[in-house]
Amino acid sequence: MASIFPSRRIRRTPFSPGVEAAGVKGYTVYNHMLLATVFDSLEYDCAHLKEHVQVWDVACERQVSIKGPDALRLMKLISPRDMDKMADDQCYYVPTVDQNGGMLNDPVAVKLAADHYWLSLADGDLLQFALGIAIAKGFDVEIVEPDVSPLAVQGPKADELMARVFGEAVRDIRFFRYKRLAFQGVEFVVARSGWSKQGGFEVYVEGADLGMPLWDALFTAGGDLNVRAGCPNAIERIESGLLSYGNDMTRENTPYECGLGKFCNSPEDYIGKAALAEQAANGPARQIRPLVIDGEIPPCLDAWPLYADGLRVGEIGSAIFSPEFGVNAAIGMVGRSHWAPGTVLGVETPAGMRPATVQERFWR
């Protein structure tokens, strides 16, 4: 793949000097910002993540700040979750949909105060969506992208590393909850969350000037823990069934098709609720499933069609070889008639047709 030409439209992050010094080998572009994809190799990075601890520059998870007297009213319109149940220190996974129930983004909402929320975005320009609704409704809210850049610390040794930098209180943070903890005299939101199943935290760094001081402090404190720079790992996320917006789900899919129906529990009349009513009552006609693909496969750069008896019954959105489990692990959207575990389908890859078997569950 050709290199990315430097441009102000593709933003560096407060942690870019550290990422580059660590020997990053590949990038993707996510929310108009650089996101590392590999340091040593996908396989080595994955194995290290599962055993040690990594520091990830995920500043590309840009924040949409919604603040003001009507902040909760707006959140109830764009969120299918029951926002009244959200605790003061809680993070909410929020699959946001359009008027037809199609997925627009799947951000994590952070409740900072009764009148102030952050939406930590997947890849997509959700700020304009929220701003447009607020303007149309005449809501009294301020909607901006704040100077906040998340830094993730992931892996089985994450608790120990974070405790050395932020103190023992970090160990008490519950899953998808946060505490405000001080670094160099500034309080950051520190949440137990992250885009891996290896455990860890995301630090919402307020102020770009504090990005590299925190990066350096983590590496100084974690030398004996074998800390390394890392990034969301394609192998680990597919093994774990962590969905990627734009790969495994798009605006063509609903939360119910993505297995996210449990997050659509709001009693409010949120945008897209009426369109989702039938699936809420009867379930979707297709849904995300794990699959194993036989034979050698190339990189999955496009959706790969799934067939049964000559009829298209779904598609593969992500696929990669898992060294730990010794299979080509895949995430696919499969029709109801063929999604039962053990069902063997045919997948059309650039290297030819391959058998693909629906699995009962993801690998972790």
Side-chain angles (χ1 to χ4, degrees), residues 245-330:
Y245 185 77
N247 287 311
D248 308 307
M249 53 185 174
T250 69
R251 193 178 172 189
E252 300 301 313
N253 304 117
T254 71
Y256 291 94
E257 292 175 348
C258 300
L260 305 175
K262 64 182 180 181
F263 299 117
C264 301
N265 62 347
S266 173
E268 308 289 336
D269 189 21
Y270 62 85
I271 293 171
K273 185 173 185 177
L276 293 173
E278 194 278 330
Q279 289 189 15
N282 302 310
R286 56 184 179 177
Q287 198 168 58
I288 286 286
R289 286 293 186 271
L291 299 98
V292 165
I293 303 174
D294 294 344
E296 293 188 7
I297 60 170
C300 187
L301 305 180
D302 299 292
W304 294 347
L306 285 166
Y307 294 97
D309 300 322
L311 299 176
R312 182 164 176 167
V313 295
E315 64 182 30
I316 297 291
S318 299
I320 201 163
F321 179 71
S322 164
E324 179 180 351
F325 297 100
V327 299
N328 294 316

Side-chain angles (χ1 to χ4, degrees), residues 103-125:
M103 294 280 293
L104 293 175
N105 207 282
D106 62 329
V108 172
V110 182
K111 184 177 181 179
L112 302 171
D115 63 349
H116 192 191
Y117 297 82
W118 285 340
L119 291 174
S120 189
L121 301 186
D123 191 20
D125 296 311

Side-chain angles (χ1 to χ4, degrees), residues 132-276:
I133 294 169
I135 292 171
K137 293 288 187 179
F139 285 167
D140 185 4
V141 289
E142 177 188 54
I143 299 176
V144 298
E145 180 185 304
D147 182 12
V148 175
S149 298
L151 186 69
V153 179
Q154 300 286 292
K157 300 176 183 177
D159 278 61
E160 177 60 27
L161 176 55
M162 287 289 287
R164 294 179 184 183
V165 175
F166 286 97
E168 290 297 314
V170 78
R171 300 183 190 273
D172 298 328
I173 301 174
R174 295 158 56 194
F175 184 62
F176 261 53
R177 298 292 180 114
Y178 73 83
K179 289 183 181 290
R180 295 181 185 270
L181 300 176
F183 175 76
Q184 294 189 356
V186 178
E187 284 196 340
F188 292 154
V189 169
V190 179
R192 189 177 290 276
S193 58
W195 210 38
S196 84
K197 286 285 185 75
Q198 306 310 310
F201 302 87
E202 289 177 301
V203 183
Y204 291 78
V205 180
E206 293 191 66
D209 58 318
L210 290 171
M212 281 310 299
L214 177 57
W215 178 281
D216 290 340
L218 289 164
F219 279 88
T220 298
D224 63 319
L225 301 177
N226 197 8
V227 63
R228 287 175 56 93
C231 53
N233 184 271
I235 298 172
E236 197 274 344
R237 84 149 184 94
I238 294 172
E239 292 172 348
S240 302
L242 298 177
L243 305 186
S244 170
Y245 185 77
N247 287 311
D248 308 307
M249 53 185 174
T250 69
R251 193 178 172 189
E252 300 301 313
N253 304 117
T254 71
Y256 291 94
E257 292 175 348
C258 300
L260 305 175
K262 64 182 180 181
F263 299 117
C264 301
N265 62 347
S266 173
E268 308 289 336
D269 189 21
Y270 62 85
I271 293 171
K273 185 173 185 177
L276 293 173

Side-chain angles (χ1 to χ4, degrees), residues 28-55:
T28 188
V29 177
Y30 195 102
N31 284 325
H32 315 287
M33 186 168 270
L34 292 172
L35 171 63
T37 56
V38 63
F39 284 86
D40 187 290
S41 68
L42 282 177
E43 295 78 11
Y44 181 87
D45 292 352
C46 182
H48 179 273
L49 170 64
K50 294 173 181 178
E51 185 176 356
H52 299 292
V53 60
Q54 295 180 354
V55 178

Side-chain angles (χ1 to χ4, degrees), residues 5-20:
F5 188 80
S7 167
R8 289 182 62 195
R9 292 182 295 102
I10 302 173
R11 295 182 287 177
R12 287 162 55 82
T13 84
F15 316 109
S16 288
V19 170
E20 292 162 3

